[in-house]
Amino acid sequence: GTVHWLPASEEPMFRSGLMQLRKWWIDHWWRKEQIPDEVRQHLFDVVLDVLADGPLPRREIAARAVPYIGEWCEPWLTDGWGGAYSTMCQYGLLVFGPAVGNSPTFARRDTWGNFAPLASRPEDAFEMIRRYLRSFGPATVQDVAYWIGANLRDVKPFWDAMCAEFVPIETDGKIRYLLATDLHDLLAMEDASLPVRLIPAFDPLLLAPRDKGELLDMRFHKRIYGA
């Protein structure tokens, strides 16, 4: 749920990878509310029709869409935490448009900006795992699932298929994994002396691993994270 800045050219890769690795979580609230797939799809189709002429804020989308869908959908279209828009953005249907005052707008991805067409490619899921290990390795599959916000059972098949790319590293008595292509660079830094600078609460070094106990004395967890 943390905001990440990405080059627009890499958006299709990340979106394809996320859909393969965390689709179960993306669809979680719809299942919990027992909304059938065909009903949800109708909502999506109506919202896309409403946005055919350009970006609109939540309230305006809801005002135009609810008469065609039903009153039940209004909370899904006005909720400030995401609602239907969160799913539609993750599915690659919507993107943010220009803000109107303090109100964000949503736009159809296929008509707004210059995004490359979406495609579901297994290689994209593998590349997301490589990106994580290159930035935060050595790490475990549990760390990867935590960072992606995915279910371990959905990540592990991709992880297992990549095992030939990994080398095991033992740190603090625990086995973690590193990309074999990064091993030489890591060993070359053995004598490096670099300052450590952390950004309180949102430093990637502390957000990335599931188990933070080896980076941080957990007695000070609340002081750093504020909760």
Side-chain angles (χ1 to χ4, degrees):
T2 301
V3 172
H4 287 69
W5 292 92
L6 304 170
S9 60
E10 295 188 353
E11 182 265 355
M13 182 275 288
F14 273 88
R15 194 174 303 284
S16 166
L18 285 172
M19 278 300 297
Q20 294 174 74
L21 291 167
R22 68 185 309 264
K23 188 175 187 301
W24 190 93
W25 282 109
I26 294 171
D27 294 341
H28 169 68
W29 287 105
W30 302 94
R31 289 194 305 273
K32 185 176 179 181
E33 297 297 324
Q34 298 182 326
I35 297 175
D37 290 347
E38 62 271 17
V39 174
R40 181 181 67 175
Q41 186 59 50
H42 177 58
L43 185 155
F44 290 177
D45 291 342
V46 171
V47 170
L48 291 173
D49 286 343
V50 165
L51 293 174
D53 294 328
L56 292 170
R58 287 185 179 90
R59 292 286 177 184
E60 184 64 27
I61 295 171
R64 299 187 188 191
V66 168
Y68 296 95
I69 304 170
E71 294 294 331
W72 70 268
C73 77
E74 184 170 4
W76 290 88
L77 297 177
T78 56
D79 178 44
W81 286 101
Y85 307 111
S86 174
T87 305
M88 294 184 74
C89 286
Q90 293 184 81
Y91 268 55
L93 301 173
L94 301 182
V95 294
F96 277 123
V100 176
N102 292 325
S103 299
T105 68
F106 294 91
R108 289 175 52 150
R109 184 184 182 278
D110 61 353
T111 61
W112 187 257
N114 296 304
F115 296 104
L118 286 177
S120 181
R121 300 170 299 196
E123 175 59 26
D124 294 330
F126 296 140
E127 181 60 17
M128 287 196 67
I129 294 173
R130 290 188 195 102
R131 297 284 184 101
Y132 177 87
L133 288 177
R134 188 165 295 126
S135 298
F136 303 112
T140 65
V141 63
Q142 288 83 3
D143 292 327
V144 174
Y146 172 81
W147 176 70
I148 291 172
N151 198 308
L152 180 61
R153 68 169 177 260
D154 295 326
V155 176
K156 200 166 186 310
F158 290 93
W159 176 275
D160 291 344
M162 298 174 66
C163 63
E165 298 185 38
F166 305 154
V167 290
I169 303 290
E170 183 175 345
T171 59
D172 298 320
K174 185 174 182 179
I175 300 297
R176 295 175 175 80
Y177 296 88
L178 188 75
L179 289 175
T181 52
D182 291 340
L183 182 60
H184 178 270
D185 291 338
L186 183 66
L187 293 174
M189 294 180 65
E190 183 176 2
D191 297 326
S193 178
L194 301 173
V196 176
R197 298 187 178 96
L198 302 180
I199 305 169
F202 289 99
D203 189 277
L205 179 65
L206 296 179
L207 285 174
R210 183 175 185 273
D211 180 5
K212 307 179 195 308
E214 287 144 8
L215 294 173
L216 169 70
D217 186 329
M218 296 305 288
R219 292 177 300 167
F220 304 114
H221 184 276
K222 288 186 178 181
R223 185 182 301 179
I224 292 175
Y225 284 85

